Amino acid sequence: MIKFCPLFSGSSGNAIYLKYRDTSILIDAGLSKRKITQAIADIGEDASELDAILITHEHYDHISGIGVMERGYNIPIYANTSTWKEMPRIFGRIREENKKTFETGKRFVIKDIEIMPFSIPHDTADPVGFSFFLDSKKITSVTDMGHLTETIAENIKGSDLLLLESNHDLDMLINGRYPLKLKKRIQGEKGHLCNKDCGDIVVKFIEFGLKTVVLGHMSAQNNVPQLAYDTVRKCIEENGYVIGKDINLVVAVREGNNRVFLL
Ligand SMILES: [Zn+2]
Ligand SMILES: [Zn+2]
């Protein structure tokens, strides 16, 4: 059985849980050890049994809890070389033997889980999304991406479940209180996906077998879950697909009570 849960998803902290057979991993750890441990316990699992934490990129909301998680539970941490160079100053010292490296674009294995880290356009050293191969099922998680690239499309193809960024509503961002420079960064080629872009991407992959889409990494300032859901729903329906029949659409809340997906 595959158990997948976006424990936390959003600009104030990210941590996604995945368990398959005897292997459990976390994708990012951008919150305190206490919060992550509690969230894992809330879905009936044990943080001390984690086999690895995979890191997408070195932004604070993805790695702020890495140091305390590694020091507390002695967990191997996986990131690419460029990301490792940027990280330790953010979370402090960790055991040398737990600093594991993967290569972007090259599959690797952690016990029962095969993982493909792929390049995404974002304003950090070498940011990645991940696809997970779990016997006949494929799960892809990709957030913090300015736009869809060929590489991302190739990796989303054939996924049964996709966690995709639906970061902001474009009008809320443009009319909101953020400084102009930050608005430009978010909208940029290496920024974040808006709800409409997210919807357009989802539609492309339904014909490739995509069954469930989880909207994630929502902005607290510039988005509302219902608005994100409605925008993506509209894109799906305008293309002739039916929610609940052709595809399931779910919003990952920023914190607490997130749905556990069993595949
Ligand atoms: Zn982020
Ligand atoms: Zn980021």
Side-chain angles (χ1 to χ4, degrees), residues 57 59 62 122 144:
H57 65 295
H59 278 155
H62 296 260
H122 193 53
D144 301 70

Side-chain angles (χ1 to χ4, degrees), residues 139-195:
I139 291 177
T140 298
S141 175
V142 56
T143 65
D144 301 70
M145 53 181 271
H147 64 283
L148 181 70
T149 62
E150 265 306 308
T151 301
I152 296 174
E154 279 308 313
N155 283 284
I156 293 177
K157 255 180 212 166
S159 298
D160 298 277
L161 185 150
L162 170 66
L163 173 79
L164 183 63
E165 172 168 58
S166 198
N167 179 259
H168 57 278
D169 174 77
L170 198 53
D171 289 335
M172 283 181 76
L173 177 68
I174 290 168
N175 300 314
R177 287 180 304 166
Y178 276 9
L180 190 60
K181 201 176 158 197
L182 182 55
K183 288 181 183 177
K184 284 219 156 81
R185 188 210 140 226
I186 293 169
Q187 284 182 69
E189 290 281 282
K190 292 186 169 188
H192 292 275
L193 280 186
C194 71
N195 297 334

Side-chain angles (χ1 to χ4, degrees), residues 20-164:
Y20 178 54
R21 293 187 181 150
D22 280 335
T23 311
S24 62
I25 61 172
L26 212 55
I27 304 151
D28 293 326
L31 298 106
S32 69
K33 175 168 166 265
R34 186 184 58 80
K35 278 195 166 183
I36 292 172
T37 300
Q38 187 57 55
I40 292 174
D42 288 346
I43 60 165
E45 302 293 343
D46 186 345
S48 70
E49 289 176 1
L50 283 169
D51 293 288
I53 302 176
L54 312 185
I55 295 172
T56 57
H57 65 295
E58 69 271 23
H59 278 155
Y60 191 79
D61 57 320
H62 296 260
I63 66 165
S64 64
I66 293 291
V68 282
M69 287 295 286
E70 191 281 336
R71 290 187 287 272
Y73 294 123
N74 194 6
I75 309 170
I77 312 294
Y78 288 74
N80 57 39
T81 310
S82 304
T83 304
W84 268 122
K85 280 186 189 147
E86 301 297 321
M87 286 194 302
R89 61 192 166 85
I90 299 171
F91 56 67
R93 285 178 78 85
I94 63 168
R95 296 169 183 85
E96 278 305 314
E97 67 266 27
N98 280 337
K99 290 184 183 172
K100 307 283 186 192
T101 302
F102 61 74
E103 208 177 302
T104 304
K106 210 166 166 188
R107 288 194 192 198
F108 64 104
V109 173
I110 297 173
K111 289 172 67 183
D112 301 304
I113 302 181
E114 187 174 353
I115 302 153
M116 173 66 168
F118 57 89
S119 185
I120 60 171
H122 193 53
D123 51 358
T124 52
D126 187 5
V128 297
F130 291 107
S131 286
F132 301 96
F133 299 88
L134 314 140
D135 279 342
S136 59
K137 301 283 187 205
K138 179 178 177 184
I139 291 177
T140 298
S141 175
V142 56
T143 65
D144 301 70
M145 53 181 271
H147 64 283
L148 181 70
T149 62
E150 265 306 308
T151 301
I152 296 174
E154 279 308 313
N155 283 284
I156 293 177
K157 255 180 212 166
S159 298
D160 298 277
L161 185 150
L162 170 66
L163 173 79
L164 183 63

Side-chain angles (χ1 to χ4, degrees), residues 206-220:
I206 300 175
E207 64 171 310
F208 293 102
L210 184 59
K211 280 277 162 279
T212 301
V213 171
V214 186
L215 307 180
H217 208 290
M218 254 168 232
S219 163

